[in-house]
Amino acid sequence: MRNLLLGGASIVALAASPALAAKPVSNAAILERLNALEAKVDALQAENADLHRQLDQQQATVATIPSQVTTAVAAAAPPPPPPVPALPKQTQTAWSYVPQFTSPDGNFTFKPRGILDVDYAAFNERKGGYDYNNGTQIRRGRFGFDGTAFKQIAWRLEAEWVGGQTTLLDAYVAYTGVKNLTITAGQLKIPAGLEANSPDAFNEFMERGMANTAFGAVGGERRVGLTVGYANKWLTATGGLYGANESISRNATTPDEVWGYNGRVTVEPINDARHLIHLGASAYHVKDLAGNSVTLADRPNVRVDNGNIESVTIAGTNPAGGPQTGVSNATYYGFEGAAVYGPFSVQGEYNHMHLDQFGAAPSLNFDGWYAFGSLFLTGESRTFRGGAIDRLKPIRPFDPLKGNWGAFELAVRYDRLNLTEHALSPLDHDAHAWTAALNWYLTGNVKVLFNYIRFEGQNSPLVAAPVSLNGTTAKGDAFATRLHFDF
């Protein structure tokens, strides 16, 4: 068939070409030429197939190179290190401003604690001629530790640096293994009043009420003793026996250490995130006061100058074998109350001190009180826990990059300390002070306080001699601020 086609093609080609037509070519010659051409095509196809086989082999070789490299690297590399075990819990910490350590079984915890208050105050003398000391002061610097053991025992050890002296504050252990009950032994704060029983870091003003401080020094504050406390959702009750503060040395004229007992009860029928009603009462009784002497005094709601706005001393003697004079015992009682409604709150306390003297000397009575109101401009609410003031946490902690500036609070307080006792002296010793406060809470642990204090005291130690020239009343203003940090 192919020959016929080729013959036809040759006939056509011969017909189309005059030259070929002029010189005819035989069929054998044409067939020979076609066979040669077909042989060349077969050779090219074989060569092309061979090239395809070589290409496939090269691709297969390239594909195996990564696995070969991986295998070689794995064979040359050192064996992997053993897995790192999880750190035990005692080295895993929870951070606030400081680390808090917990043992693997949760039975033991350990946490540093501390407070730093740095104050500045400038005074304006209005009457009395006293030269007030403007300047700065480290009001308190505290450092210590909190912890728990076997989940049922809590402990605290803390010291304070003030005025160039270091004293021991808290050093106690407490058993909490019985529901709602706490038994505490060691040196601790005696429950007597709302401000005095609350952490100093949580109070609204730079200083507590004057009567609170003056009367607390007689038989309150921190003492060595044993207390038993009960607390549930709405009630707290505490009672205890105690001696003197560990920082107080034995007095040569009073060989026996001071001792006393106390009690405090609070009720909070309403206490939620935005509302509170708090009522309470407390009292203590102490005997064997050092030297049979008592001094009642406090400063005008600021400590930088350190001068007392009022001060009264009842001196005593304790001769061997002779009649004693001075104070035989002291009894304190006080009432407290607070209410919170959203950003608004009010708080106040009344304090009374009764001193019995030896022999026929009359009993003496002194009192004082304060009341204040506060408003949070940023919407926060004051909170209470366990019958005491709790930490204020801003809704929007300080973060200027996010437009958050913390919490701002305005507060106004009237504070009075009345040490007038005509059975002791014909002179009046009555002090009072108005304090306006702006408190800026950057976080729950950092705040800046601004206090303007307008104070007055009758027959005050802040009257400069001669009295005929300066009168008997001291008046002044204090512009005070505090940077506070605690952890």
Side-chain angles (χ1 to χ4, degrees):
M1 182 68 182
R2 186 178 64 178
N3 292 337
L4 292 174
L5 291 174
L6 291 174
S10 301
I11 295 171
V12 173
L14 291 174
S17 175
L20 290 175
K23 187 178 181 179
V25 179
S26 64
N27 290 337
I30 295 172
L31 182 60
E32 183 179 355
R33 292 170 61 184
L34 289 174
N35 289 333
L37 180 62
E38 185 176 6
K40 290 182 180 180
V41 170
D42 291 339
L44 290 173
Q45 289 177 344
E47 183 179 359
N48 185 49
D50 185 60
L51 291 174
H52 276 291
R53 284 194 299 271
Q54 294 179 12
L55 180 61
D56 292 341
Q57 291 176 357
Q58 291 176 357
Q59 290 177 343
T61 301
V62 171
T64 60
I65 289 175
S67 61
Q68 293 173 352
V69 172
T70 303
T71 303
V73 171
V84 178
L87 294 175
K89 286 188 177 181
Q90 63 263 29
T91 59
Q92 296 175 350
T93 61
W95 285 84
S96 52
Y97 282 88
V98 295
Q100 304 178 46
F101 301 87
T102 304
S103 64
D105 56 7
N107 283 334
F108 300 88
T109 64
F110 178 84
K111 175 184 175 295
R113 59 179 286 112
I115 297 177
L116 177 64
D117 286 333
V118 181
D119 293 359
Y120 172 81
F123 293 87
N124 172 47
E125 186 270 325
R126 294 187 293 119
K127 187 175 181 180
Y130 181 83
D131 184 14
Y132 294 93
N133 177 30
N134 302 331
T136 59
Q137 177 192 49
I138 296 181
R139 174 65 180 88
R140 57 176 61 90
R142 297 178 182 173
F143 186 75
F145 305 96
D146 283 340
T148 59
F150 305 105
K151 295 184 179 181
Q152 298 180 344
I153 298 176
W155 59 268
R156 175 175 295 177
L157 183 65
E158 185 176 39
E160 180 178 60
W161 186 89
V162 173
Q165 296 182 342
T166 301
T167 57
L168 182 66
L169 288 183
D170 293 318
Y172 63 77
V173 293
Y175 177 72
T176 61
V178 179
K179 184 179 180 181
N180 299 333
L181 194 67
T182 302
I183 303 173
T184 308
Q187 177 160 289
L188 66 155
K189 183 179 287 188
I190 300 300
L194 177 54
E195 281 189 325
N197 198 53
S198 299
D200 293 314
F202 301 166
N203 284 318
E204 304 314 282
F205 297 87
M206 290 176 61
E207 302 298 337
R208 306 192 318 237
M210 291 185 287
N212 195 311
T213 302
F215 301 158
V218 178
E221 302 301 338
R222 287 172 170 83
R223 308 274 165 170
V224 176
L226 174 71
T227 66
V228 178
Y230 173 86
N232 60 26
K233 185 177 180 180
W234 62 275
L235 170 71
T236 70
T238 307
L241 297 170
Y242 56 90
N245 186 299
E246 183 61 26
S247 301
I248 299 174
S249 300
R250 256 181 219 283
N251 190 293
T253 60
T254 310
D256 293 329
E257 182 183 7
V258 62
W259 68 275
Y261 48 89
N262 86 294
R264 179 174 182 255
V265 177
T266 69
V267 292
E268 293 173 352
I270 299 175
N271 188 352
D272 59 40
R274 303 282 290 175
H275 307 90
L276 167 84
I277 294 179
H278 171 99
L279 299 171
S282 57
Y284 66 72
H285 180 81
V286 291
K287 295 179 65 65
D288 295 331
L289 297 165
N292 297 342
S293 300
V294 168
T295 295
L296 304 175
D298 197 25
R299 290 138 292 194
N301 295 147
V302 64
R303 295 288 191 270
V304 171
D305 176 76
N306 213 35
N308 290 319
I309 185 68
E310 290 294 348
S311 179
V312 170
T313 298
I314 302 91
T317 61
N318 186 15
Q324 300 183 67
T325 63
V327 180
S328 60
N329 58 74
T331 302
Y332 161 89
Y333 62 83
F335 302 98
E336 61 194 66
V340 176
Y341 187 82
F344 301 95
S345 71
V346 293
Q347 180 177 311
E349 293 186 68
Y350 172 79
N351 306 277
H352 185 90
M353 175 60 68
H354 175 88
L355 302 178
D356 289 323
Q357 299 190 86
F358 288 98
S363 297
L364 308 173
N365 291 279
F366 310 91
D367 64 4
W369 60 278
Y370 75 83
F372 74 77
S374 77
L375 167 65
F376 276 95
L377 303 178
T378 45
E380 287 78 4
S381 295
R382 297 179 65 218
T383 57
F384 285 59
R385 183 175 63 175
I389 303 167
D390 200 8
R391 184 184 301 276
L392 190 284
K393 298 179 180 178
I395 296 174
R396 300 175 183 84
F398 183 76
D399 189 349
L401 296 179
K402 296 182 180 179
N404 298 334
W405 296 94
F408 291 89
E409 178 188 27
L410 296 176
V412 178
R413 176 178 70 181
Y414 178 78
D415 184 19
R416 184 180 181 188
L417 172 62
N418 184 7
L419 300 182
T420 300
E421 176 53 88
H422 291 149
L424 183 68
S425 168
L427 301 178
D428 290 339
H429 292 274
D430 191 3
H432 63 87
W434 284 94
T435 303
L438 170 61
N439 300 329
W440 179 18
Y441 300 82
L442 285 79
T443 70
N445 300 78
V446 181
K447 62 183 177 180
V448 181
L449 310 181
F450 301 93
N451 283 190
Y452 165 67
I453 307 158
R454 192 171 183 88
F455 57 86
E456 178 178 335
Q458 295 179 317
N459 295 293
S460 170
L462 298 182
V463 173
V467 175
S468 59
L469 177 63
N470 294 305
T472 60
T473 299
K475 295 182 180 181
D477 303 303
F479 305 87
T481 184
R482 168 175 295 169
L483 172 62
H484 168 88
F485 170 64
D486 71 88
F487 59 87

